């Protein structure tokens, strides 16, 4: 009879609020959920940062190719071409330009056409350009 009375007292007390085990379980579930959400947030931020870097590299390759099209480079050599492109850019993009490779392949039989190939870390653009 004593056990039933204590169960009835616990039931009456639990109607007034939550018991300590219920609060501990709720806090543990909240902690696990918060940890999982923060882990996903960090993963998302790393993915966005990587995507920004890839986009910047692609924009760099694209702007280099556009400047090749606009400037009509000399078909003679690629080394002086890359230096001329780097000097015409701003200092910020000049630092990021260091790993961009620009090559010109002359078309046999036509001295005013060449294949311009611009490469940088996984991105490559190839286009036929007019040259001097």
């Amino acid at each position: 009879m004593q056990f039933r009375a204590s169960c009835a007292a616990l039931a009456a007390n639990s109607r007034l609020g939550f018991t300590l085990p219920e609060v501990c379980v709720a806090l543990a579930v909240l902690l696990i959920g918060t940890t999982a959400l923060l882990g996903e947030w960090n993963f998302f931020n790393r993915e966005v940062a990587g995507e920004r870097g890839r986009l910047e590299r692609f924009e760099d390759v694209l702007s280099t190719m556009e400047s090749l099209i606009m400037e009509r480079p000399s078909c003679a050599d690629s080394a002086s071409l890359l230096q001329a492109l780097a000097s015409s850019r701003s200092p910020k993009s000049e630092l990021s330009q260091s790993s961009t490779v620009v090559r010109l392949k002359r078309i046999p039989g036509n001295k005013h056409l060449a294949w311009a190939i611009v490469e940088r870390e996984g991105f490559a653009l190839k286009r036929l350009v007019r040259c001097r």
Side-chain angles (χ1 to χ4, degrees):
M1 195 52 128
Q2 181 96 4
F3 179 71
R4 284 188 166 204
S6 64
C7 287
L10 283 176
N13 287 338
S14 67
R15 287 187 195 131
L16 299 176
F18 297 105
T19 61
L20 184 60
E22 290 173 337
V23 170
C24 290
V25 168
L27 287 175
V29 169
L30 180 66
L31 179 66
I32 291 170
T34 304
T35 305
L37 286 176
L38 288 176
E40 289 298 316
W41 180 257
N42 287 335
F43 174 76
F44 176 74
N45 283 339
R46 283 192 309 271
E47 287 295 315
V48 168
E51 190 64 32
R52 274 192 204 119
R54 287 187 292 274
L55 184 61
E56 287 174 3
R57 289 191 304 268
F58 178 73
E59 286 176 345
D60 192 32
V61 168
L62 188 61
S63 66
T64 303
M65 181 61 80
E66 287 175 348
S67 64
L68 276 175
I69 294 167
M70 298 301 289
E71 292 178 10
R72 288 189 65 179
S74 171
C75 285
D77 71 12
S78 300
S80 63
L81 173 69
L82 183 58
Q83 290 173 357
L85 287 174
S87 65
S88 67
R89 294 178 179 275
S90 68
K92 178 185 172 239
S93 64
E94 192 173 320
L95 293 173
S96 66
Q97 189 74 3
S98 61
S99 62
T100 302
V101 178
V102 179
R103 291 183 289 140
L104 290 175
K105 285 186 177 180
R106 294 181 67 181
I107 303 291
N110 191 336
K111 61 181 180 177
H112 296 291
L113 287 178
W115 284 107
I117 303 164
V118 181
E119 298 173 326
R120 182 173 180 196
E121 300 174 29
F123 295 104
L125 292 178
K126 182 178 180 180
R127 186 179 193 282
L128 196 60
V129 295
R130 299 189 79 153
C131 51
R132 297 180 262 142

